[in-house]
mmCIF file of all heavy atoms in Angstrom:
data_model
loop_
_atom_site.group_PDB
_atom_site.id
_atom_site.type_symbol
_atom_site.label_atom_id
_atom_site.label_comp_id
_atom_site.label_asym_id
_atom_site.label_seq_id
_atom_site.Cartn_x
_atom_site.Cartn_y
_atom_site.Cartn_z
ATOM 1 N N SER A 1 96.709 82.260 -25.376
ATOM 2 C CA SER A 1 96.628 81.208 -24.446
ATOM 3 C C SER A 1 95.330 80.588 -24.613
ATOM 4 O O SER A 1 94.305 81.204 -24.480
ATOM 5 C CB SER A 1 96.847 81.787 -23.080
ATOM 6 O OG SER A 1 96.418 80.842 -22.106
ATOM 7 N N GLY A 2 95.226 79.244 -24.689
ATOM 8 C CA GLY A 2 93.979 78.512 -24.654
ATOM 9 C C GLY A 2 93.320 78.589 -23.356
ATOM 10 O O GLY A 2 92.183 78.853 -23.296
ATOM 11 N N GLY A 3 93.985 78.407 -22.292
ATOM 12 C CA GLY A 3 93.400 78.453 -20.881
ATOM 13 C C GLY A 3 92.873 79.823 -20.620
ATOM 14 O O GLY A 3 91.731 79.986 -20.108
ATOM 15 N N LEU A 4 93.656 80.906 -20.970
ATOM 16 C CA LEU A 4 93.066 82.188 -20.726
ATOM 17 C C LEU A 4 91.819 82.508 -21.456
ATOM 18 O O LEU A 4 91.105 83.376 -20.969
ATOM 19 C CB LEU A 4 94.245 83.264 -20.896
ATOM 20 C CG LEU A 4 94.012 84.582 -20.480
ATOM 21 C CD1 LEU A 4 93.538 84.736 -19.094
ATOM 22 C CD2 LEU A 4 95.202 85.470 -20.662
ATOM 23 N N GLN A 5 91.650 82.048 -22.748
ATOM 24 C CA GLN A 5 90.403 82.251 -23.352
ATOM 25 C C GLN A 5 89.130 81.757 -22.580
ATOM 26 O O GLN A 5 88.291 82.453 -22.498
ATOM 27 C CB GLN A 5 90.544 81.540 -24.729
ATOM 28 C CG GLN A 5 91.467 82.007 -25.641
ATOM 29 C CD GLN A 5 91.467 81.127 -26.984
ATOM 30 O OE1 GLN A 5 90.510 80.838 -27.583
ATOM 31 N NE2 GLN A 5 92.627 80.611 -27.162
ATOM 32 N N LYS A 6 89.337 80.614 -21.920
ATOM 33 C CA LYS A 6 88.306 80.036 -21.105
ATOM 34 C C LYS A 6 88.135 80.846 -19.863
ATOM 35 O O LYS A 6 86.988 81.190 -19.477
ATOM 36 C CB LYS A 6 88.579 78.551 -20.746
ATOM 37 C CG LYS A 6 88.469 77.651 -21.873
ATOM 38 C CD LYS A 6 89.046 76.243 -21.409
ATOM 39 C CE LYS A 6 88.140 75.572 -20.256
ATOM 40 N NZ LYS A 6 88.580 74.249 -19.839
ATOM 41 N N GLU A 7 89.304 81.348 -19.212
ATOM 42 C CA GLU A 7 89.047 81.997 -18.077
ATOM 43 C C GLU A 7 88.447 83.538 -18.352
ATOM 44 O O GLU A 7 87.648 83.816 -17.537
ATOM 45 C CB GLU A 7 90.552 82.363 -17.495
ATOM 46 C CG GLU A 7 91.071 81.121 -16.812
ATOM 47 C CD GLU A 7 92.625 81.266 -16.394
ATOM 48 O OE1 GLU A 7 93.312 82.053 -17.035
ATOM 49 O OE2 GLU A 7 92.964 80.643 -15.338
ATOM 50 N N ALA A 8 88.737 83.994 -19.514
ATOM 51 C CA ALA A 8 88.073 85.318 -19.815
ATOM 52 C C ALA A 8 86.628 85.100 -19.796
ATOM 53 O O ALA A 8 85.778 85.990 -19.435
ATOM 54 C CB ALA A 8 88.590 85.764 -21.266
ATOM 55 N N TYR A 9 86.170 84.014 -20.449
ATOM 56 C CA TYR A 9 84.723 83.723 -20.553
ATOM 57 C C TYR A 9 84.087 83.643 -19.146
ATOM 58 O O TYR A 9 83.023 84.254 -18.800
ATOM 59 C CB TYR A 9 84.473 82.363 -21.257
ATOM 60 C CG TYR A 9 83.014 82.157 -21.658
ATOM 61 C CD1 TYR A 9 82.463 82.430 -22.830
ATOM 62 C CD2 TYR A 9 82.095 81.472 -20.816
ATOM 63 C CE1 TYR A 9 81.193 82.248 -23.144
ATOM 64 C CE2 TYR A 9 80.860 81.179 -20.980
ATOM 65 C CZ TYR A 9 80.429 81.597 -22.180
ATOM 66 O OH TYR A 9 79.058 81.377 -22.668
ATOM 67 N N TRP A 10 84.759 82.975 -18.176
ATOM 68 C CA TRP A 10 84.240 82.855 -16.797
ATOM 69 C C TRP A 10 84.381 84.223 -16.148
ATOM 70 O O TRP A 10 83.538 84.446 -15.192
ATOM 71 C CB TRP A 10 85.057 81.690 -16.041
ATOM 72 C CG TRP A 10 84.809 80.337 -16.686
ATOM 73 C CD1 TRP A 10 83.635 79.895 -17.061
ATOM 74 C CD2 TRP A 10 85.697 79.394 -16.859
ATOM 75 N NE1 TRP A 10 83.739 78.681 -17.631
ATOM 76 C CE2 TRP A 10 85.035 78.153 -17.361
ATOM 77 C CE3 TRP A 10 87.043 79.231 -16.652
ATOM 78 C CZ2 TRP A 10 85.629 77.154 -17.650
ATOM 79 C CZ3 TRP A 10 87.668 78.115 -16.929
ATOM 80 C CH2 TRP A 10 87.030 76.954 -17.480
ATOM 81 N N TYR A 11 85.333 85.037 -16.404
ATOM 82 C CA TYR A 11 85.459 86.377 -15.748
ATOM 83 C C TYR A 11 84.416 87.207 -16.409
ATOM 84 O O TYR A 11 84.272 88.357 -15.876
ATOM 85 C CB TYR A 11 86.755 86.938 -16.003
ATOM 86 C CG TYR A 11 87.999 86.302 -15.497
ATOM 87 C CD1 TYR A 11 89.220 86.325 -16.089
ATOM 88 C CD2 TYR A 11 87.887 85.733 -14.094
ATOM 89 C CE1 TYR A 11 90.323 85.704 -15.442
ATOM 90 C CE2 TYR A 11 88.925 85.203 -13.544
ATOM 91 C CZ TYR A 11 90.133 85.131 -14.187
ATOM 92 O OH TYR A 11 91.260 84.591 -13.610
ATOM 93 N N ARG A 12 83.781 86.885 -17.549
ATOM 94 C CA ARG A 12 82.850 87.791 -18.328
ATOM 95 C C ARG A 12 83.560 88.886 -18.902
ATOM 96 O O ARG A 12 83.195 90.048 -18.949
ATOM 97 C CB ARG A 12 81.601 88.130 -17.484
ATOM 98 C CG ARG A 12 80.961 86.919 -17.031
ATOM 99 C CD ARG A 12 79.531 87.224 -16.345
ATOM 100 N NE ARG A 12 78.725 87.877 -17.280
ATOM 101 C CZ ARG A 12 77.965 87.419 -18.391
ATOM 102 N NH1 ARG A 12 78.079 86.135 -18.583
ATOM 103 N NH2 ARG A 12 77.089 88.203 -19.038
ATOM 104 N N VAL A 13 84.803 88.657 -19.440
ATOM 105 C CA VAL A 13 85.711 89.638 -19.944
ATOM 106 C C VAL A 13 85.874 89.334 -21.453
ATOM 107 O O VAL A 13 86.243 88.175 -21.804
ATOM 108 C CB VAL A 13 87.129 89.810 -19.248
ATOM 109 C CG1 VAL A 13 88.025 90.814 -20.170
ATOM 110 C CG2 VAL A 13 86.958 90.336 -17.898
ATOM 111 N N PRO A 14 85.538 90.236 -22.420
ATOM 112 C CA PRO A 14 85.718 89.838 -23.757
ATOM 113 C C PRO A 14 87.220 89.423 -24.110
ATOM 114 O O PRO A 14 88.146 90.023 -23.508
ATOM 115 C CB PRO A 14 85.262 91.096 -24.557
ATOM 116 C CG PRO A 14 85.360 92.143 -23.642
ATOM 117 C CD PRO A 14 85.203 91.554 -22.256
ATOM 118 N N CYS A 15 87.387 88.474 -24.968
ATOM 119 C CA CYS A 15 88.660 88.013 -25.344
ATOM 120 C C CYS A 15 88.966 88.224 -26.853
ATOM 121 O O CYS A 15 88.183 87.975 -27.809
ATOM 122 C CB CYS A 15 88.751 86.556 -25.061
ATOM 123 S SG CYS A 15 90.384 85.788 -25.175
ATOM 124 N N VAL A 16 90.221 88.600 -27.135
ATOM 125 C CA VAL A 16 90.691 88.700 -28.540
ATOM 126 C C VAL A 16 91.923 87.679 -28.582
ATOM 127 O O VAL A 16 92.852 87.891 -27.859
ATOM 128 C CB VAL A 16 91.171 90.248 -28.793
ATOM 129 C CG1 VAL A 16 91.916 90.194 -30.216
ATOM 130 C CG2 VAL A 16 89.992 91.139 -28.745
ATOM 131 N N THR A 17 91.763 86.810 -29.457
ATOM 132 C CA THR A 17 92.719 85.670 -29.531
ATOM 133 C C THR A 17 93.459 85.968 -30.774
ATOM 134 O O THR A 17 93.135 85.860 -31.969
ATOM 135 C CB THR A 17 92.032 84.326 -29.669
ATOM 136 O OG1 THR A 17 91.186 84.174 -28.447
ATOM 137 C CG2 THR A 17 93.044 83.140 -29.777
ATOM 138 N N MET A 18 94.890 85.985 -30.530
ATOM 139 C CA MET A 18 95.883 86.281 -31.509
ATOM 140 C C MET A 18 96.600 84.945 -31.965
ATOM 141 O O MET A 18 97.621 84.735 -31.870
ATOM 142 C CB MET A 18 96.858 87.251 -30.897
ATOM 143 C CG MET A 18 96.160 88.572 -30.528
ATOM 144 S SD MET A 18 97.461 89.735 -29.617
ATOM 145 C CE MET A 18 97.755 88.894 -28.151
ATOM 146 N N ARG A 19 95.533 84.207 -32.702
ATOM 147 C CA ARG A 19 95.910 82.966 -33.172
ATOM 148 C C ARG A 19 95.031 82.782 -34.433
ATOM 149 O O ARG A 19 93.945 83.433 -34.493
ATOM 150 C CB ARG A 19 95.695 81.864 -32.308
ATOM 151 C CG ARG A 19 96.656 81.721 -31.212
ATOM 152 C CD ARG A 19 96.392 80.828 -30.058
ATOM 153 N NE ARG A 19 96.088 79.493 -30.517
ATOM 154 C CZ ARG A 19 95.416 78.499 -29.789
ATOM 155 N NH1 ARG A 19 95.118 78.808 -28.552
ATOM 156 N NH2 ARG A 19 95.124 77.307 -30.320
ATOM 157 N N PRO A 20 95.354 81.954 -35.379
ATOM 158 C CA PRO A 20 94.388 81.765 -36.574
ATOM 159 C C PRO A 20 93.247 80.738 -36.124
ATOM 160 O O PRO A 20 92.207 80.612 -36.863
ATOM 161 C CB PRO A 20 95.288 81.061 -37.658
ATOM 162 C CG PRO A 20 96.382 80.411 -36.929
ATOM 163 C CD PRO A 20 96.488 81.342 -35.599
ATOM 164 N N SER A 21 93.281 79.988 -35.114
ATOM 165 C CA SER A 21 92.225 79.145 -34.675
ATOM 166 C C SER A 21 92.272 78.897 -33.076
ATOM 167 O O SER A 21 93.192 79.457 -32.530
ATOM 168 C CB SER A 21 92.535 77.840 -35.348
ATOM 169 O OG SER A 21 93.723 77.235 -34.879
ATOM 170 N N THR A 22 91.211 78.340 -32.687
ATOM 171 C CA THR A 22 91.171 78.102 -31.139
ATOM 172 C C THR A 22 90.485 76.709 -30.947
ATOM 173 O O THR A 22 89.697 76.226 -31.836
ATOM 174 C CB THR A 22 90.355 79.108 -30.507
ATOM 175 O OG1 THR A 22 90.338 78.767 -29.084
ATOM 176 C CG2 THR A 22 88.958 79.216 -31.044
ATOM 177 N N GLU A 23 90.957 76.081 -29.922
ATOM 178 C CA GLU A 23 90.379 74.772 -29.538
ATOM 179 C C GLU A 23 88.958 75.160 -28.796
ATOM 180 O O GLU A 23 88.182 74.235 -28.526
ATOM 181 C CB GLU A 23 91.160 73.965 -28.695
ATOM 182 C CG GLU A 23 91.821 74.619 -27.436
ATOM 183 C CD GLU A 23 93.085 75.456 -27.836
ATOM 184 O OE1 GLU A 23 93.966 75.053 -28.646
ATOM 185 O OE2 GLU A 23 93.138 76.540 -27.421
ATOM 186 N N TRP A 24 88.754 76.319 -28.321
ATOM 187 C CA TRP A 24 87.576 76.775 -27.523
ATOM 188 C C TRP A 24 86.546 77.470 -28.526
ATOM 189 O O TRP A 24 86.246 78.698 -28.261
ATOM 190 C CB TRP A 24 87.950 77.585 -26.405
ATOM 191 C CG TRP A 24 89.001 76.874 -25.581
ATOM 192 C CD1 TRP A 24 90.295 77.144 -25.272
ATOM 193 C CD2 TRP A 24 88.856 75.634 -24.852
ATOM 194 N NE1 TRP A 24 90.883 76.260 -24.592
ATOM 195 C CE2 TRP A 24 90.006 75.310 -24.232
ATOM 196 C CE3 TRP A 24 87.575 74.785 -24.655
ATOM 197 C CZ2 TRP A 24 90.145 74.218 -23.517
ATOM 198 C CZ3 TRP A 24 87.844 73.712 -23.985
ATOM 199 C CH2 TRP A 24 88.975 73.372 -23.401
#
C-alpha cells in the first residue's frame, strides 16, 4: 500500500514494501 508506507513513517514503524518500486 502506498498510503500505508507513509503512515508507517509517521508512526515511526519500519516498513517493508512488497513492490518493485514506490512513489514514496
